[in-house]
Amino acid sequence: MPAPGGRAEEPVYRPVLAARRGELEALGHLDDALAPLLSPILQLSELDRNVLDALTRLPPGLRPAVEFGALPDTTASVLTRRGVPLVPVIGLADGERRLAALGATARAQTQRAVVRLRLRRDRAGPDATTVAVERIGRHARLAPEQCDLVLDCGDVCCPADVRLVEPRVRRMLDWTRRHTWRSVSVVAGGMPPVLSRLPIDEPVRVDRWDWLLWQRLADLGVTFGDYGVASTTGQPTVDRHLTVPYTGDGVWLIHRWSRRRGQGDQRVADLCRTLVSSPHWPPTGASFSWGDQEISRRARRGAGAGSATNWMAWSTSHHLAHVLNALARSTPSR
């Protein structure tokens, strides 16, 4: 979706991803033309050498927002010294010292930040939220015009969740008009936190209620965000079977293939052949994304089975490309 004159548009997709090796590898293989359309929030829980190296290898057009969680306030300066381009993520409950540190990082890098408002955790009315935003401005020394606002809905995994969340999001979107935000995104997680109860050795359709929620709000001009192919818990799926989520139009195809002793490569090849022969396999085939290339190679038994980290990388790679493609088809040109 290039803008007139060949200049990239503002990002149209804001996924929330755990800053683990699999997710970072998927971002590292993102097509250079797509990188400017993506503005991920990376949830950083540790900063070891592998994660740091992966952050330094992200595509040049990609500038992630980073949430530091329980890590020390100095972590942002460590990344800055290593040349990692980032936008700090600010929470409504952050203390004064952290707000000052994140504000300093924002001014040193891009003069902007992401303010993440969690609708279920940050329970407050419009007036209290306004007070919290003014507190951020005072200690981080950032105006709303310098901030991208993210309304994080948490889990939206069924029709009842959509019915519950949608009116609250609409009320918060009315509140956002009190300030001139740089952008407003609505993020939700649609992947069920537990997949181990699903059948094995056959693809299972799981509706993407997070995508449906955004479609109901898209007319309000908000940017779409999700949690990739993971649940909002941020924890990798623990399953004794090989579990691979694959994103389709409005659904995930969850593949849980049983592990049979001594048949790892064969089972993975069978799973991949099932994927490439399904109606959800992209019309452009393996060229659709780096992840699809890797899946296609294993369908032909051209490579090894891979690890859980590899599968997270390949599933995430396909998901990012799929969402960007779907947004290009569903978002009216401006």
Side-chain angles (χ1 to χ4, degrees):
M1 291 184 292
R7 182 177 56 84
E9 293 183 355
E10 285 292 306
V12 297
Y13 175 34
R14 191 180 291 280
V16 178
L17 304 174
R20 295 186 296 251
R21 284 188 299 159
E23 289 87 342
L24 293 175
E25 188 174 8
L27 289 173
H29 284 88
L30 194 67
D31 187 278
D32 287 347
L34 297 181
L37 301 177
L38 193 73
S39 184
I41 292 177
L42 299 180
Q43 300 186 115
L44 199 63
S45 58
E46 61 179 350
L47 190 60
D48 61 20
R49 179 176 297 179
N50 290 327
V51 169
L52 186 55
D53 288 347
L55 287 170
T56 61
R57 293 196 301 269
L58 294 179
L62 188 72
R63 184 176 291 273
V66 179
E67 185 171 75
F68 298 100
L71 294 177
D73 295 341
T74 55
T75 307
S77 60
V78 172
L79 293 178
T80 300
R81 287 197 302 271
R82 285 295 302 267
V84 176
L86 64 90
V87 176
V89 176
I90 295 174
L92 265 63
D94 284 342
E96 294 178 8
R97 179 177 297 179
R98 171 150 290 200
L99 288 175
L102 296 177
T105 299
R107 290 189 299 277
Q109 291 246 13
T110 60
Q111 294 288 326
R112 62 186 179 91
V114 168
V115 174
R116 186 178 183 187
L117 195 164
R118 299 174 186 250
L119 295 186
R120 299 189 182 188
R121 183 182 302 181
D122 301 323
R123 293 186 177 275
D127 292 340
T129 305
T130 296
V131 170
V133 168
E134 290 172 347
R135 175 177 164 273
I136 289 171
R138 188 164 59 252
H139 296 291
R141 293 165 51 199
L142 294 169
E145 293 86 348
Q146 297 172 278
C147 297
D148 298 289
L149 179 67
V150 172
L151 302 180
D152 191 333
C153 306
D155 281 321
V156 180
C157 295
C158 64
D161 285 344
V162 175
R163 289 194 298 270
L164 180 68
V165 167
E166 183 184 355
R168 187 170 186 198
V169 173
R170 288 186 178 274
R171 287 195 296 273
M172 290 307 300
L173 290 173
D174 286 338
W175 167 83
T176 63
R177 298 188 181 97
R178 294 188 183 186
H179 305 279
T180 308
W181 298 99
R182 190 173 181 277
S183 72
V184 178
S185 304
V186 174
V187 171
M191 181 66 72
V194 178
L195 302 177
S196 57
R197 300 188 184 96
L198 298 179
I200 61 171
D201 295 337
E202 62 180 88
V204 179
R205 290 172 57 99
V206 173
D207 289 319
R208 292 171 53 208
W209 297 105
D210 51 347
W211 178 252
L212 175 63
L213 173 67
W214 177 78
Q215 287 183 310
R216 295 169 71 125
L217 299 168
D219 62 303
L220 300 177
V222 293
T223 300
F224 173 70
D226 61 17
Y227 277 76
V229 296
S231 73
T232 61
T233 64
Q235 300 300 317
T237 300
V238 177
D239 196 338
R240 63 190 180 91
H241 299 298
L242 174 66
T243 304
V244 179
Y246 193 79
T247 309
D249 288 335
V251 298
W252 282 293
L253 282 301
I254 310 297
H255 299 73
R256 296 183 67 235
W257 253 236
S258 59
R259 297 179 184 271
R260 298 174 184 169
R261 188 180 300 275
Q263 298 183 29
D265 287 7
Q266 180 180 331
R267 298 298 292 155
V268 167
D270 180 67
L271 188 158
C272 292
R273 284 195 295 270
T274 301
L275 257 176
V276 301
S277 62
S278 84
H280 295 277
W281 184 248
T284 55
S287 64
F288 186 73
S289 74
W290 166 73
D292 290 295
Q293 293 174 23
E294 296 300 318
I295 291 169
S296 178
R297 288 177 62 203
R298 281 151 186 84
R300 303 190 306 269
R301 295 195 179 186
S307 65
T309 296
N310 295 139
W311 280 104
M312 174 56 77
W314 304 334
S315 296
T316 301
S317 172
H318 167 78
H319 178 83
L320 299 178
H322 178 93
V323 170
L324 286 171
N325 183 269
L327 288 170
R329 290 185 279 114
S330 64
T331 304
S333 58
R334 301 175 195 173

